[in-house]
């Protein structure tokens, strides 16, 4: 049940496969005879300096993977000098994660129907030292994840959604469906719209990233709404099936954002070469989801440290073999896409 929850996507899982395959259709145009003896992978995200443009996406209920769950992820992330995004539906609270020590952390927000709950949660995240809110905008309802329906997925009874424990919303009832789908149907606000982004801006001074934009139209609205950035995401292919891979949607979003706000990407990033391709198409950084939960399940904190090290080493090697010594050296000309071959802007496939 737990493996299926982590691994699966929505319905036919077409987008799940495509999130990977689309990366494999982008090829390199490496430059040679460039001194790559020193490589600088550092970058700045919302003003925070990090060691590499690879960050941790929010993934729910990490104590199902390992008893230390989000604690382990938080420690591994700060040891690697990068940013962890904590899920609203974490099995450790914002305060508990903050207690692991210093580190740059973002808080992922799901907007509940009860806005008092949201207000309280945002204030707690602020007090616990979280530096930004990643507002997930692709989940007015939960996608149809058939593995979870078959398994009657439910949070194991020894765990709670820790951020909601005191609010009587920390448990998930068993149902005839996915327990998470029923929880979402009961609690999450389907009316969420751009005016609520304004509302969120009015209750917090933290920068807001909208997570789940995959079109130029919404990218323009995001810029207009004054958010601090966009995360191009299809929720790891767990929401609407048959949306394009995020790497295929990235360039149109970057073009629409016109450099006015940074654009990040998640979905299917598994190799250092994937990170390079995303940056060449205009992303300011990437987030990884499943690699972290699988690493946690394998080896806890050591596993997450290891996955971050592997990604970092591969990305460094990609830079060297492409003739780049820093992120600023990466250009659109270092790669070519199927669209380049076909002479079409922003091909979706
Ligand atoms: C997620 N994702 C997610 N997103 C979010 O905004 N809030 C959440 O609580 C979760 N929970 C979650 C659980 C699990 C098990 C997965 C796999 C994903 C989506 C996540 O933040 C991210 O968008 C994707 O995981 C990125 O794709 P990859 O790296 O998993 O391919």
């Amino acid at each position: 049940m737990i493996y299926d929850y982590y691994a699966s996507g929505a319905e036919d899982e077409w987008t799940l496969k495509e999130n990977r395959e689309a990366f494999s259709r982008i090829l390199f145009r490496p430059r040679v005879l460039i001194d790559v003896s020193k490589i600088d992978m550092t970058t700045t995200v919302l003003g925070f300096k990090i060691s590499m443009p690879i960050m941790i996406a929010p993934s729910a209920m990490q104590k199902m993977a390992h008893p230390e769950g989000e604690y382990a992820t938080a420690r591994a992330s700060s040891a690697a000098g990068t940013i962890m995004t904590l899920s609203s539906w974490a099995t450790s609270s914002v305060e508990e994660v903050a207690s692991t020590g210093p580190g740059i952390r973002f808080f992922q927000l799901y907007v509940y129907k009860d806005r008092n709950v949201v207000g309280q949660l945002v204030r707690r995240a602020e007090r616990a030292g979280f530096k930004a809110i990643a507002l997930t905008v692709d989940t007015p309802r939960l996608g149809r994840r058939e593995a979870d329906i078959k398994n009657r997925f439910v949070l194991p009874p020894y765990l709670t959604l820790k951020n909601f424990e005191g609010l009587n919303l920390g448990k998930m009832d068993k149902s005839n469906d996915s327990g998470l789908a029923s929880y979402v149907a009961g609690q999450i606000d389907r009316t969420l719209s751009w005016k609520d982004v304004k509302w969120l801006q009015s209750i917090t001074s933290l920068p807001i990233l909208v997570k789940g934009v995959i079109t130029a139209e919404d990218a323009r609205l995001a810029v207009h709404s004054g958010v601090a950035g966009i995360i191009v995401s299809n929720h790891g292919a767990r929401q609407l099936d048959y949306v394009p891979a995020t790497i295929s949607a990235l360039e149109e979003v970057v073009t629409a954002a016109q450099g006015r706000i940074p654009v990040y990407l998640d979905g299917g990033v598994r190799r250092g070469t994937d990170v390079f391709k995303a940056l060449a198409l205009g992303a300011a950084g990437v987030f990884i989801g499943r690699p972290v939960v699988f690493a946690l399940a394998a080896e806890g904190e050591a596993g997450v440290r290891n996955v971050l090290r592997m990604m970092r080493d591969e990305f460094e090697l990609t830079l060297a073999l492409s003739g780049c010594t820093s992120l600023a050296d990466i250009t659109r000309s270092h790669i070519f896409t199927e669209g380049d071959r076909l002479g079409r802007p922003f091909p979706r496939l």
Side-chain angles (χ1 to χ4, degrees):
M1 177 190 84
I2 292 168
Y3 174 79
D4 281 354
Y5 169 69
Y6 288 154
S8 67
E11 300 188 355
D12 294 337
E13 301 188 334
W14 182 87
T15 299
L16 185 64
K17 199 155 147 248
E18 178 67 2
N19 268 357
R20 285 297 307 137
E21 287 185 352
F23 274 112
S24 75
R25 295 194 298 267
I26 300 173
L27 304 179
F28 285 106
R29 299 181 68 250
R31 301 297 308 278
V32 296
L33 290 175
I34 292 166
D35 175 356
V36 291
S37 57
K38 285 194 197 72
I39 290 183
D40 176 10
M41 288 186 284
T42 60
T43 190
T44 299
V45 171
L46 303 180
F48 298 97
K49 188 154 185 202
I50 55 174
S51 63
M52 58 179 177
I54 305 163
M55 299 168 276
I56 297 185
S59 59
M61 304 176 239
Q62 295 183 358
K63 283 191 180 171
M64 295 193 308
H66 188 274
E68 288 174 18
E70 294 84 4
Y71 287 77
T73 306
R75 290 194 189 106
S77 166
S78 37
T82 191
I83 293 168
M84 168 192 183
T85 317
L86 183 72
S87 166
S88 275
W89 295 334
T91 39
S92 314
S93 65
V94 286
E95 294 83 6
E96 287 172 333
V97 169
S99 78
T100 61
I104 306 158
R105 299 180 189 111
F106 294 170
F107 180 68
Q108 176 270 328
L109 184 68
Y110 280 128
V111 177
Y112 280 54
K113 290 175 186 166
D114 183 346
R115 293 304 168 88
N116 289 325
V117 166
V118 181
Q120 280 185 45
L121 200 55
V122 168
R123 267 192 304 281
R124 282 171 55 198
E126 285 173 348
R127 257 186 261 130
F130 284 70
K131 302 295 186 210
I133 304 281
L135 175 67
T136 301
V137 295
D138 57 14
T139 311
R141 297 172 59 176
L142 203 73
R144 186 179 166 81
R145 306 170 188 173
E146 293 183 344
D148 293 348
I149 298 170
K150 241 180 253 171
N151 294 333
R152 308 272 187 268
F153 171 81
V154 74
L155 181 67
Y158 56 91
L159 295 173
T160 53
L161 303 178
K162 263 289 170 105
N163 288 314
F164 298 96
E165 201 175 37
L167 299 159
N168 254 340
L169 293 166
K171 288 286 179 190
M172 205 177 282
D173 296 328
K174 245 187 153 27
S175 80
N176 249 349
D177 190 347
S178 148
L180 185 60
S182 306
Y183 182 87
V184 169
Q187 301 304 332
I188 298 302
D189 191 350
R190 292 183 190 181
T191 72
L192 195 73
S193 71
W194 289 104
K195 75 175 182 346
D196 300 297
V197 174
K198 285 269 166 265
W199 169 76
L200 188 59
Q201 286 166 327
S202 77
I203 66 158
T204 181
S205 53
L206 291 179
I208 296 166
L209 301 171
V210 285
K211 174 176 182 282
V213 165
I214 52 170
T215 62
E217 292 89 327
D218 284 336
R220 282 191 284 271
L221 291 172
V223 171
H224 188 69
S225 75
V227 295
I230 292 170
I231 305 174
V232 173
S233 172
N234 54 31
H235 213 113
R238 295 157 76 82
Q239 286 297 104
L240 182 62
D241 199 15
Y242 296 99
V243 294
T246 48
I247 194 67
S248 308
L250 175 62
E251 206 167 20
E252 82 164 61
V253 171
V254 167
T255 304
Q258 295 182 311
R260 287 164 67 188
I261 52 175
V263 176
Y264 303 94
L265 170 134
D266 73 27
V269 176
R270 300 291 179 269
R271 290 280 188 188
T273 50
D274 300 334
V275 181
F276 186 108
K277 289 170 184 179
L279 268 57
L281 287 167
V286 302
F287 293 83
I288 53 173
R290 290 181 186 81
V292 172
V293 286
F294 293 143
L296 258 185
E299 248 193 313
E301 181 185 336
V304 182
R305 281 180 188 243
N306 207 16
V307 83
L308 290 170
R309 186 174 55 240
M310 289 164 76
M311 293 287 297
R312 181 194 167 84
D313 288 350
E314 288 185 10
F315 180 54
E316 185 181 38
L317 182 62
T318 308
L319 284 166
L321 298 181
S322 305
C324 298
T325 62
S326 72
L327 307 196
D329 285 352
I330 302 174
T331 68
R332 182 63 176 80
S333 312
H334 283 94
I335 57 161
F336 65 103
T337 64
E338 274 201 320
D340 297 338
R341 269 196 300 273
L342 300 167
R344 283 192 215 134
F346 320 137
R348 297 311 196 86
L349 283 175

